[in-house]
Amino acid sequence: MSNNITTEDILRISGVDTRKCMFCGKCSGTCPAFDEMEYHPHQFVYMVQWGMIDKLMESKSIYKCLTCFACLERCPRNVQPAKLIEAVRQAVIRQQGMNHMTENDIPGLLEDKLPQQAIVSAMRKYKK
Ligand code: SF4
Ligand code: SF4
């Protein structure tokens, strides 16, 4: 399925310059969500650069990023891969006109020991 979202769209939304990446993999090496992600931060950079946007938009990886920004801190070239992930997620939201979940879906997903701060943080991230 083609989403008609281009590399240029993602670069414009994110403000990232993928050409600065030297594919050292430090961003992925430091990512706490690495095991959960089908595509890892350095792969986002590569895949956006080479126009593989549809695959990224269809991947659950865009919802696994914790927005901790460890990948930004670690990157020696200031590429900011987390901004690419957020831009792809934003493109999906804009296209479908809503997020992949609503407030009403949340109570059923909560665990007893989840800190309140995490819930508030998640709401900020997942609300439009
Ligand atoms: S985004 Fe930065 S840390 Fe990640 S592979 Fe590229 S240069 Fe390395
Ligand atoms: S911001 Fe997302 S991609 Fe970057 S290190 Fe944190 S969880 Fe991983």
Side-chain angles (χ1 to χ4, degrees):
M1 187 182 77
S2 175
N3 292 300
N4 298 321
I5 303 291
T6 64
T7 292
E8 288 68 33
D9 293 329
I10 299 301
L11 297 183
R12 192 177 59 248
I13 296 170
S14 65
V16 167
D17 181 357
T18 55
R19 293 169 304 178
K20 291 195 295 187
C21 180
M22 57 183 184
F23 301 107
C24 64
K26 286 186 176 174
C27 50
S28 295
T30 199
C31 176
F34 182 92
D35 290 341
E36 302 288 324
M37 295 176 86
E38 176 185 11
Y39 301 119
H40 304 117
H42 75 286
Q43 289 174 296
F44 267 80
V45 181
Y46 178 88
M47 291 171 76
V48 167
Q49 191 167 333
W50 293 103
M52 300 154 82
I53 313 297
D54 287 355
K55 280 191 174 177
L56 293 175
M57 288 181 74
E58 287 158 14
S59 172
K60 291 269 188 297
S61 298
I62 57 176
Y63 305 113
K64 301 292 183 181
C65 169
L66 305 167
T67 324
C68 69
F69 295 140
C71 54
L72 274 69
E73 296 288 328
R74 198 76 206 284
C75 177
R77 304 293 290 265
N78 194 31
V79 177
Q80 305 185 318
K83 290 191 177 178
L84 283 181
I85 299 171
E86 182 65 13
V88 174
R89 199 177 69 79
Q90 286 295 330
V92 173
I93 292 169
R94 286 179 198 181
Q95 194 162 71
Q96 66 191 22
M98 56 174 285
N99 222 319
H100 78 299
M101 63 191 291
T102 69
E103 290 92 335
N104 295 335
D105 298 322
I106 291 176
L109 299 170
L110 293 181
E111 293 175 15
D112 290 345
K113 292 183 180 164
L114 202 61
Q116 204 170 33
Q117 200 176 13
I119 300 168
V120 173
S121 163
M123 285 304 298
R124 287 207 185 107
K125 180 173 167 67
Y126 289 111
K127 268 181 79 74
K128 267 204 282 187

